[in-house]
Amino acid sequence: LLDGAGLKSDAMTTGQVVFVMAPRINAVGRLGDARRAVELLITDDYDSAVEFARVLEQENITRRKIDEDVFIHAQQLVEEFLDVESDGAIVLHQEQWHPGVVGIVASRMVEKYYRPAIMMTTVDGVAKGSARSIAGFNIYQALKRCEDKLLQFGGHKYAAGLTLEVDRVEEFKEAFNAVVKELLTEDLLTPVISIDAEIDLSELTPKYMRVLKQFAPFGPKNMRPTFITRRVEAIGLPRIVGRNHLRLKIKKNNVTFDCIGFNLGHLMERFSNGSKLFDLVFAVDESDFSGVQLPQLKIKDIRPASTESGLQ
């Protein structure tokens, strides 16, 4: 499985487990029979393991294609039929969507529109879907306020699943949007990035990177530190790579770094106003370039340089 993903077992990071390995194991369950992943993990036969790993790799490629198609379709529906500003939440139902990806796409819709999102498909004659929320909004409690419209629901503050009769989807949508409008304050609709420290690029030395690694593993309750560096210069033209990822190189005081902003392609517009200097908010990670581990800045936000001294 590592070979198929192009990873090295002696340099595995938590991020690679979460974002590279786990999706491959999950994919076969999302698209079909999860026992194929179990068989890979318990087999003692190398040839069988290679074949199962090949299946997982292919299923993950298929899952990503389905995921992208549903995401594109969902955005088209939002742009054509919804008013995100007034509706409060995004509630969509299409009977042809694959049930294995609606949760993933709901999360992507939250990232794009910063609104609670519910994506539903039709399974065995009933509408079934996944709900995802924004920071500070309890989507489980919102669903509970609408439970008379549902057959079943469950989950927690930021993620939930639900089923309901297909002919009650519009009724549920109206009820859910009414609850969201009541509970979702203007403050919650403003995304907030908590910055841990202001730092100069020259401070990101190999020794500093070794110290940061001692705080691993990173994840919920122990997120990677978030830094800000002011008045950095973009070298060359930023570009979009992969699935709407922003890639650029920055410089300050003759120190340069490569940067990647996952799902932040929309930030390209911030480079169109002629600004040469930018304030950059980022986390620090490492990427493997031809077998060499090099620091990489993961962009969280970027804006034309300000003269403010605070960290707002």
Side-chain angles (χ1 to χ4, degrees):
L1 193 59
L2 286 167
D3 289 343
L7 299 179
K8 298 180 180 179
S9 59
D10 59 349
M12 181 67 68
T13 67
T14 308
Q16 289 171 335
V17 172
V18 173
F19 296 111
V20 181
M21 300 296 287
R24 285 163 168 77
I25 295 172
N26 287 341
V28 290
R30 291 184 181 278
L31 300 188
D33 192 345
R35 285 179 294 184
R36 294 173 291 176
V38 177
E39 292 292 344
L40 167 63
L41 297 174
I42 66 174
T43 185
D44 294 322
D45 180 71
Y46 180 79
D47 291 336
S48 296
V50 169
E51 178 58 23
F52 280 123
R54 185 194 64 78
V55 171
L56 265 64
E57 189 71 26
Q58 185 57 50
E59 286 284 74
N60 190 53
I61 293 171
T62 303
R63 189 272 306 166
R64 291 174 63 181
K65 175 64 167 62
I66 296 172
D67 172 355
E68 189 65 22
D69 289 345
V70 173
F71 182 51
I72 290 171
H73 188 199
Q75 292 175 85
Q76 292 170 343
L77 293 175
V78 169
E79 302 303 329
E80 187 172 352
F81 297 109
L82 299 186
D83 183 344
V84 175
E85 295 300 323
S86 63
D87 287 343
I90 296 168
V91 182
L92 298 173
H93 171 256
Q94 292 288 297
E95 64 178 17
Q96 75 272 25
W97 284 343
H98 196 294
V101 303
V102 291
I104 297 172
V105 176
S107 295
R108 295 183 68 183
M109 296 295 282
V110 172
E111 288 179 3
K112 180 174 178 62
Y113 296 102
Y114 207 69
R115 291 291 189 279
I118 298 177
M119 299 281 293
M120 294 177 287
T121 185
T122 300
V123 179
D124 298 329
V126 299
K128 183 176 182 180
S130 294
R132 298 293 185 269
S133 192
I134 62 175
F137 183 77
N138 191 324
I139 204 162
Y140 176 85
Q141 291 299 326
L143 288 172
K144 188 167 181 61
R145 293 270 296 271
C146 307
E147 63 181 327
D148 60 314
K149 310 290 190 297
L150 304 174
L151 294 173
Q152 187 176 346
F153 75 101
H156 54 81
K157 185 175 182 179
Y158 293 124
L162 66 155
T163 58
L164 64 153
E165 299 290 352
V166 172
D167 59 6
R168 301 194 75 181
V169 167
E170 286 303 315
E171 180 186 356
F172 163 73
K173 178 180 175 180
E174 290 180 11
F176 185 76
N177 270 324
V179 171
V180 171
K181 288 179 182 179
E182 177 186 340
L183 300 179
L184 196 59
T185 65
E186 195 64 35
D187 287 347
L188 292 179
L189 290 175
T190 304
V192 175
I193 299 175
S194 296
I195 298 171
D196 296 297
E198 186 164 356
I199 193 170
D200 193 271
L201 296 183
S202 62
E203 296 179 72
L204 297 175
T205 62
K207 179 181 179 180
Y208 197 92
M209 295 296 296
R210 289 195 298 271
V211 172
L212 279 183
K213 283 184 178 180
Q214 294 175 22
F215 289 89
F218 298 108
K221 306 298 183 182
N222 185 42
M223 303 304 290
R224 287 184 179 276
T226 297
F227 301 107
I228 184 171
T229 298
R230 300 185 188 278
R231 305 183 71 75
V232 302
E233 179 183 355
I235 302 175
L237 293 175
R239 64 187 192 277
I240 303 296
V241 299
R243 298 194 306 173
N244 198 36
H245 308 318
L246 175 67
R247 181 175 289 280
L248 72 151
K249 180 170 285 190
I250 61 164
K251 178 177 73 172
K252 184 176 182 181
N253 297 330
N254 295 319
V255 179
T256 63
F257 278 98
D258 288 306
C259 305
I260 183 79
F262 293 108
N263 298 311
L264 294 180
H266 62 279
L267 296 183
M268 274 287 288
E269 63 187 33
R270 302 190 183 180
F271 295 91
S272 62
N273 62 359
S275 296
K276 300 295 185 181
L277 299 177
F278 299 86
D279 297 338
L280 182 72
V281 178
F282 60 92
V284 184
D285 201 356
E286 286 186 329
S287 290
D288 192 319
F289 293 94
S290 302
V292 179
Q293 293 291 317
L294 296 175
Q296 183 182 60
L297 308 188
K298 289 190 173 180
I299 302 169
K300 295 199 172 186
D301 202 4
I302 190 168
R303 68 180 182 188
S306 69
T307 58
E308 302 171 8
S309 58
L311 291 180
Q312 287 293 106

